[in-house]
Amino acid sequence: ISVAGRWPAAGPRPLGEMLVAALIPMVQLPPRGLWRTKAGVRNLPLPAWLGRDGDPLDPADGVGQVLVRRYLAAYGPAATADLRAWSGLAGLPAAVKAVREELVAFRDERGRELLDLPDAPRPGPDTPAPVRFLPAFDNAILGYDDRTRIIDDAHRGLSVAGERVVLVDGRVTATWTTDGDAVVVRPLRRLTARERREVAAEGSELAAFLTDGESDRARVEPS
């Protein structure tokens, strides 16, 4: 039975894209990945891009001991639920169990176990977190099941709606967009005078980056 015959309302293109993404190792080709260049999605099978077949999976690796290590290197400390939400894979407990002796464990405020690599940097709680502007769908937010560590539940929908956000003291505090050659920031709460200055300064740097130095205009709208 064809997938189009089973789900005719979806249309052939969405179904095809789903199958390609789910079943066939693919590479997304430029110009999608080039700076300031837009085009439709172009996919190529991974062996055609590499000029050889991809490396086979190690049967002893389960669903991915390497995946667990690489995820924790980027996002640890994290719970196994965070890893599962980020990867969308089942069978992760076996992979985590296989590498557990390599890891260190902590407890968060809710008592959940958080795992991390033993030599990973873990800044102290008093370490300042500078203002940062994030792109849409950034993994700093999407990389966790419990996103309250970085974004309030009231604003969680921003992370899946394609909004670009601003971190203040390590938490989502505003959204940002562009208006011509200017960066425009819309706070989600009242900013202190110091926070507004820091957001404006970082916004100016971003505007200069986006315009190749032609503009450093940044506007922080009223809270």
Side-chain angles (χ1 to χ4, degrees), residues 5 7 15 17 20 33 46 52 57 59 77 83 106 109 115 119 133 138 140 146 152 164 166-167 179 198 215 218 223:
W7 295 289
L15 291 173
E17 291 177 348
V20 165
L46 180 62
R52 61 177 178 83
L57 294 176
L83 173 57
F106 305 92
E109 297 84 351
L115 301 174
D119 56 351
F133 284 65
D138 193 273
D146 178 15
D152 294 341
R164 295 173 284 187
V166 183
L167 303 185
D179 181 11
E198 292 176 353
S215 171
S223 301

Side-chain angles (χ1 to χ4, degrees), residues 81-142:
D82 296 322
L83 173 57
R84 184 172 58 251
W86 172 79
S87 67
L89 296 176
L92 288 170
V96 173
K97 182 179 180 180
V99 300
R100 179 174 286 275
E101 292 186 0
E102 306 174 16
L103 309 177
V104 293
F106 305 92
R107 294 285 174 182
D108 66 8
E109 297 84 351
R110 296 160 47 191
R112 297 188 317 155
E113 182 182 57
L114 304 179
L115 301 174
D116 204 2
L117 301 177
D119 56 351
R122 286 179 288 274
D126 297 328
T127 303
V131 170
R132 288 292 181 261
F133 284 65
L134 300 184
F137 308 114
D138 193 273
N139 275 325
I141 298 175
L142 301 182

Side-chain angles (χ1 to χ4, degrees), residues 133 166 174-177 183-187 191 199 203 218-222:
F133 284 65
V166 183
T175 62
W176 71 273
T177 186
V183 168
V184 180
V185 177
R186 297 182 174 90
L191 301 179
V199 169
R219 183 172 76 250
V220 182
E221 296 191 343

